[in-house]
Amino acid sequence: EPNWQLMEDYVKIHEEKKRLMVLKYCKEQLNRILAQSNGAKVDLHSVKWKAFKIEDVFEIIERGKRLTKKMQESGIVPYISSSALNNGVDNFISNKANVRRYKEALTVANSGSVASSFYHVYEYVASDHVTNLKISNGNRENYLFISVIIKKLKEKYSFNREMTDDRIKRELILLPTSSYDEPDFMFMQKFILQEEAKLYKKIIERFESK
């Protein structure tokens, strides 16, 4: 007859392996964050906010290039379009000619799911449905913070109203400011690290209680 006990034991063993893997990863990430942030605590209500034009925040503002489905060659490089899902990844391609590649930058959908914004630490090819934004000395946390702010712009747009290049440059986004009245990138970094630490602590607590 079916060996139900063996099946149960087998599943439990693999579930335990997965649990330990998750715990190990989360603890490593939490330790990295705590070391990077030195345990600093910041509050969104304790900082001064100011409206900045996108063109005054980013050094590079450039739309991707059109690449139809027929022209896309299968590969491993993410092809970013205007989807609001999966970080905007529409396909994986290998095209090298007549494409625009970026890395460690932000994309903003200018049509389709307008204002959907994602950070890409990896190299990617951008379609003509997204605009690429890059800060010369920006880090991962800066991009993640600003992408949330940019996503709020979708309330102003619809599928039929495109976010043109000129509109993107002129759009105003509220950002925390430093004593020099400039975007406070250090604050943004500390806030993101703080929120990530909270999340990892919750996951660790949940998986350790099992």
Side-chain angles (χ1 to χ4, degrees):
E1 294 190 358
N3 191 335
W4 303 112
Q5 188 61 50
L6 185 146
M7 297 181 201
E8 181 180 349
D9 292 343
Y10 179 84
V11 170
K12 285 182 177 180
I13 289 172
H14 281 268
E15 284 183 338
E16 178 63 9
K17 286 182 179 180
K18 293 291 185 182
R19 185 184 74 85
L20 293 175
M21 285 175 60
V22 171
L23 269 175
K24 182 176 182 292
Y25 175 80
C26 289
K27 287 180 178 180
E28 288 174 350
Q29 293 303 308
L30 179 59
N31 289 334
R32 173 188 62 80
I33 290 170
L34 293 177
Q36 190 174 351
S37 65
N38 293 320
K41 294 183 179 180
V42 292
D43 183 359
L44 291 176
H45 302 290
S46 65
V47 69
K48 178 184 174 183
W49 293 74
K50 177 184 173 181
F52 294 89
K53 288 182 180 180
I54 287 180
E55 65 181 352
D56 293 332
V57 177
F58 295 90
E59 281 78 21
I60 296 176
I61 303 175
E62 185 176 62
R63 186 181 288 232
K65 294 190 70 174
R66 182 172 176 77
L67 192 67
T68 64
K69 283 287 184 183
K70 290 182 178 180
M71 296 170 62
Q72 294 173 23
E73 302 167 3
S74 180
I76 60 173
V77 179
Y79 177 69
I80 310 299
S81 192
S82 59
S83 173
L85 304 174
N86 301 320
N87 265 36
V89 178
D90 183 65
N91 197 5
F92 290 90
I93 64 175
S94 60
N95 300 63
K96 293 183 179 180
N98 298 317
V99 296
R100 287 180 177 163
R101 293 195 177 207
Y102 304 88
K103 185 178 181 181
E104 295 182 358
L106 208 64
T107 56
V108 181
N110 42 48
S111 62
S113 300
V114 182
S116 292
S117 180
F118 301 103
Y119 168 59
H120 310 276
V121 66
Y122 41 81
E123 184 181 39
Y124 65 94
V125 173
S127 76
D128 61 327
H129 296 298
V130 296
T131 296
N132 305 272
L133 308 176
K134 192 167 180 64
I135 307 170
S136 59
N137 296 316
N139 58 42
R140 167 183 168 275
E141 292 78 25
N142 297 158
Y143 284 116
L144 291 175
F145 189 101
I146 296 175
S147 71
V148 175
I149 305 299
I150 289 178
K151 286 175 183 176
K152 295 181 180 296
L153 295 174
K154 66 176 59 179
E155 299 172 3
K156 297 175 58 177
Y157 294 87
S158 65
F159 189 87
N160 294 322
R161 186 176 183 232
E162 183 175 308
M163 187 184 280
T164 64
D165 295 339
D166 287 337
R167 283 175 181 163
I168 288 178
K169 291 177 181 179
R170 295 196 308 268
E171 278 293 354
L172 295 173
I173 53 175
L174 274 176
L175 296 175
T177 61
S178 66
S179 56
Y180 300 101
D181 225 22
E182 297 291 335
D184 193 340
F185 294 112
M186 182 62 72
F187 177 91
M188 299 180 207
Q189 181 179 19
K190 289 179 179 178
F191 181 80
I192 291 296
L193 290 173
Q194 173 181 284
E195 296 306 299
E196 286 184 325
K198 290 178 183 178
L199 179 60
Y200 282 122
K201 286 177 181 178
K202 286 183 179 179
I203 296 173
I204 291 170
E205 182 180 347
R206 178 183 174 185
F207 277 79
E208 282 186 332
S209 64
K210 286 190 174 183

